[in-house]
Amino acid sequence: MGNEDRTALKNKLAQCCRMMYAEGLFASSGHVSVRAPGTEIVFIHPRQTSRAVVQAEDIVGVDLRGRLVEGVNEPPSETALHTAMYRARPDIQAVAHLHSHYATIISISGRPFVPVYTPASIFAPQ
């Protein structure tokens, strides 16, 4: 994965964080991560940066054991939860760990989560 692709992926992840914050999907906590295709690197929102203003340059990269391999910010304490899922399921490409009442409703509905809200469509397969 080239630097341009990495930057584009980090931009999407940062945009996702800001959108989820704006829609009230993040309460006081929560993180979104994405697997860098063809690598063993996971990009995740850092601990120190507000979800409302996070930018691509704030995003950190960790290996599948949660060790920082890219960026200068501190990964969140939830990193172990994210990386455990990526290790267990190589087919998983993104993980969202939320603490909102919306996420709780989705998780107990027993239905698949499909991005149908117009701004979320950028995350659907092309």
Side-chain angles (χ1 to χ4, degrees):
M1 173 171 227
N3 284 340
E4 191 173 301
D5 293 331
R6 292 167 97 81
T7 300
L9 189 57
K10 288 178 184 180
N11 273 319
K12 274 191 172 183
L13 180 59
Q15 182 181 16
C16 176
C17 289
R18 294 190 308 268
M19 288 170 50
M20 292 177 84
Y21 178 84
E23 292 297 322
L25 294 175
F26 285 131
S28 62
S29 185
H31 292 85
V32 179
S33 65
V34 63
R35 185 191 303 261
T39 74
E40 292 196 353
I41 295 175
V42 172
F43 294 125
I44 191 165
H45 170 268
R47 179 185 304 232
Q48 301 92 334
T49 307
S50 167
R51 291 150 191 82
V53 298
V54 65
Q55 298 294 318
E57 57 269 14
D58 301 315
I59 300 296
V60 296
V62 297
D63 65 16
L64 293 180
R65 294 285 171 202
R67 297 175 294 227
L68 184 67
V69 295
E70 191 171 319
V72 297
N73 293 314
E74 184 180 355
S77 59
E78 294 92 337
T79 300
L81 177 124
H82 288 255
T83 56
M85 289 187 215
Y86 291 114
R87 285 192 315 272
R89 295 274 310 271
D91 59 315
I92 292 176
Q93 298 304 306
V95 174
H97 173 214
L98 309 175
H99 293 262
S100 74
H101 62 279
Y102 300 117
T104 302
I105 291 168
I106 290 169
S107 71
I108 65 173
S109 72
R111 305 193 67 124
F113 180 69
V114 179
V116 294
Y117 186 64
T118 303
S121 65
I122 66 170
F123 302 104
Q126 299 295 326

